[in-house]
């Protein structure tokens, strides 16, 4: 059984900062790719940032230079530092982990429940 829990969302004024965390627990053997996605009202879920086990990052153009994704492999935790926030960053932010656990013999995706980020103008 694998659990993925996001935290750190909230209400912030434009130009402010937030730091999201995503903690994974359970019978995890190896985490491959960890990523952040977001879904605004009426829109499809979109990629924000991904980070591989080896440290390679990928960011959506809309957040490059403002958001930084990092991970603590020892704690199975992913972070998203969000600076210079804009109203258009308002969305529910989800964490997705691609990992292999002791319960299954292949890599699979696990999603968290999401955390709301609201940026006021």
């Amino acid at each position: 059984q694998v659990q993925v829990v996001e935290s750190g969302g909230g209400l912030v004024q434009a130009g402010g900062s937030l730091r999201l965390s995503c903690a994974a627990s359970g019978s995890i053997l190896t985490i491959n790719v960890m990523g952040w996605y977001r879904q605004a009202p009426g829109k499809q879920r979109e990629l924000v940032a991904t980070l591989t086990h080896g440290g390679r990052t990928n960011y959506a153009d809309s957040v490059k230079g403002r958001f930084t994704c990092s991970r603590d492999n020892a704690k199975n935790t992913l972070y998203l530092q969000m600076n210079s926030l804009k109203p258009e960053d308002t969305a529910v932010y989800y964490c997705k982990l691609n990992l292999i656990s002791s319960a299954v013999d292949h890599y699979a995706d696990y999603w968290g429940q999401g955390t709301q980020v609201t940026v006021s103008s």
Side-chain angles (χ1 to χ4, degrees):
Q1 190 82 2
V2 175
Q3 296 83 37
V4 180
V5 179
E6 301 101 334
S7 61
L11 173 64
V12 64
Q13 289 187 332
S17 298
L18 281 175
R19 188 192 194 206
L20 305 183
S21 298
C22 170
S25 61
S27 55
I28 299 169
L29 297 179
T30 303
I31 300 177
N32 182 21
V33 181
M34 307 175 82
W36 289 99
Y37 295 75
R38 66 187 181 186
Q39 187 166 17
K43 295 187 177 181
Q44 289 189 328
R45 191 171 298 187
E46 63 176 4
L47 170 72
V48 176
T50 59
L51 178 56
T52 68
H53 183 81
R56 184 182 305 169
T57 56
N58 179 49
Y59 295 96
D61 288 343
S62 59
V63 306
K64 282 181 181 178
R66 300 187 298 122
F67 290 11
T68 302
C69 192
S70 61
R71 63 192 281 178
D72 185 332
N73 289 330
K75 296 181 179 179
N76 289 334
T77 301
L78 177 70
Y79 303 98
L80 184 68
Q81 178 66 42
M82 305 185 294
N83 299 326
S84 302
L85 282 161
K86 305 175 181 180
E88 50 263 44
D89 294 318
T90 296
V92 177
Y93 283 70
Y94 297 91
C95 173
K96 186 182 82 169
L97 309 182
N98 179 256
L99 60 87
I100 189 166
S101 71
S102 60
V104 297
D105 60 358
H106 58 273
Y107 282 94
D109 290 335
Y110 295 83
W111 289 88
Q113 81 291 348
T115 184
Q116 176 70 46
V117 172
T118 303
V119 184
S120 63
S121 58

